[in-house]
Amino acid sequence: MNQTEKMANIQPVRLGLDSTFTFRCHKGVSCFTKCCRGINIVLTPYDIIRLKNRLQLSSDEFLAIYTKPQLFQDTDLPLVTLRLLDDEQESCPFVRDAEGCIIYEDRPTNCRYYPLGVASLAHKEGADDEGFYFFVNEPHCKGFEEEKDWTVREWRRDQGVDIHDEINSGWTDLIVRKRSFPANIKLTEKSKHLFFMVSYNIDKFKQFVFESSFLKRYDIAADVVEKIKTDEIELLKFGLDWLRDTLFDYRNFEVDPEKQTVSVRQKG
């Protein structure tokens, strides 16, 4: 049984931003790097941008070398997870026994949250839904025995996940929206391809925007065009807003009553 399977058997505790817990991880704990083995790390759009830039790879190269395609549970949306090493422990490719994480400053959001996780509720227009947090005390982890107290709010700020969550918020909202769709409503393959491109292949999305008829079909302010031309984070946010307005707005849906798939009415 790997770590992910073990975690599934542990009852999580629901937390708020001001809930407290005790935890500290460092090289001195006997379980150092054990949490980096046998895990399932979902990569967010911002994770991929940071990692591919850290490794000086294109989006295509990073996706091919370091990721595995999967589907989100309860949706038909594509996601990517970190490809683990084919060793006995199924190790993260960026972890070393003595050094720990060699890309620590650019580590994924899931790694930053540990030992916390974040969950989102069903989407409802106008709702004040920020999801909730959970804390799982894994038996093997000695970090829980360290005398360092945190609130969830303090931990998020210290680990930088508050910034990650802000940048990824548009993407998270799309996933929550899709989870709220009727179960028999599916996106077309073309729609899922667009979701994948915007979410995980920022290089290809940039080509799509600037090397096609995209800017002729959509009325985009000149200052926005200049901003997204040079800033990948702004381009990502722009792309997620575009996806929300084209793929995830019921007013733009055309449903095939026989196949129960959703296509998008093209604008412009």
Side-chain angles (χ1 to χ4, degrees), residues 37-68:
R37 325 280 180 170
I39 49 178
N40 187 45
I41 301 178
V42 175
L43 297 176
T44 70
Y46 186 43
D47 291 339
I48 293 176
I49 289 175
R50 290 193 62 155
L51 286 168
K52 65 104 175 174
N53 289 340
R54 169 67 177 261
L55 300 171
Q56 298 183 333
L57 298 172
S58 68
S59 296
D60 279 332
E61 291 170 331
F62 178 80
L63 290 169
I65 298 170
Y66 289 106
T67 73
K68 292 173 57 178

Side-chain angles (χ1 to χ4, degrees), residues 77-78 174 177-178 181 185-199 218 239-254 262-267:
L77 291 175
L174 295 183
R177 283 171 183 257
K178 180 59 180 70
F181 285 8
I185 299 297
K186 307 293 184 182
L187 293 175
T188 63
E189 289 304 311
K190 181 179 180 181
S191 298
K192 286 187 283 189
H193 173 76
L194 290 173
F195 177 85
F196 185 95
M197 176 179 63
V198 173
S199 299
Y218 294 91
L240 294 171
D241 286 344
W242 175 71
L243 282 179
R244 180 197 63 212
D245 292 342
T246 55
L247 299 189
F248 293 82
D249 186 337
Y250 279 112
R251 292 170 297 181
N252 297 320
F253 288 165
E254 291 178 344
V262 177
S263 59
V264 180
R265 297 190 183 102
Q266 295 296 323
K267 298 181 178 181

Side-chain angles (χ1 to χ4, degrees), residues 21-24 114-115 135-147:
F21 64 97
T22 300
F23 181 79
R24 180 170 174 256
Y114 186 85
F135 168 64
V136 179
N137 189 331
E138 295 185 89
H140 75 262
C141 183
K142 303 302 181 183
F144 305 122
E145 300 174 5
E146 298 288 306
E147 296 183 358

Side-chain angles (χ1 to χ4, degrees), residues 64-133:
I65 298 170
Y66 289 106
T67 73
K68 292 173 57 178
Q70 296 187 34
L71 289 175
F72 275 105
Q73 186 178 6
D74 301 327
T75 77
D76 55 343
L77 291 175
L79 66 84
V80 295
T81 59
L82 186 66
R83 185 186 298 275
L84 302 178
L85 296 180
D86 188 20
D87 61 7
E88 186 176 339
Q89 301 181 78
E90 295 181 294
S91 303
C92 168
F94 304 118
V95 70
R96 303 293 182 267
D97 289 334
E99 303 170 65
C101 180
I102 60 173
I103 48 92
Y104 188 77
E105 294 81 3
D106 298 294
R107 65 197 184 282
T109 305
N110 278 10
C111 302
R112 292 170 184 269
Y113 257 113
Y114 186 85
L116 300 180
V118 62
S120 296
L121 304 175
H123 176 80
K124 183 178 180 181
E125 291 290 351
D128 182 15
D129 172 18
E130 295 183 354
F132 63 89
Y133 306 91

Side-chain angles (χ1 to χ4, degrees), residues 158-190:
D158 183 79
Q159 298 297 305
V161 286
D162 52 348
I163 297 172
H164 278 242
D165 285 351
E166 189 280 323
I167 294 173
N168 288 315
S169 61
W171 178 73
T172 303
D173 181 65
L174 295 183
I175 296 166
V176 175
R177 283 171 183 257
K178 180 59 180 70
R179 191 171 288 136
S180 299
F181 285 8
N184 61 342
I185 299 297
K186 307 293 184 182
L187 293 175
T188 63
E189 289 304 311
K190 181 179 180 181

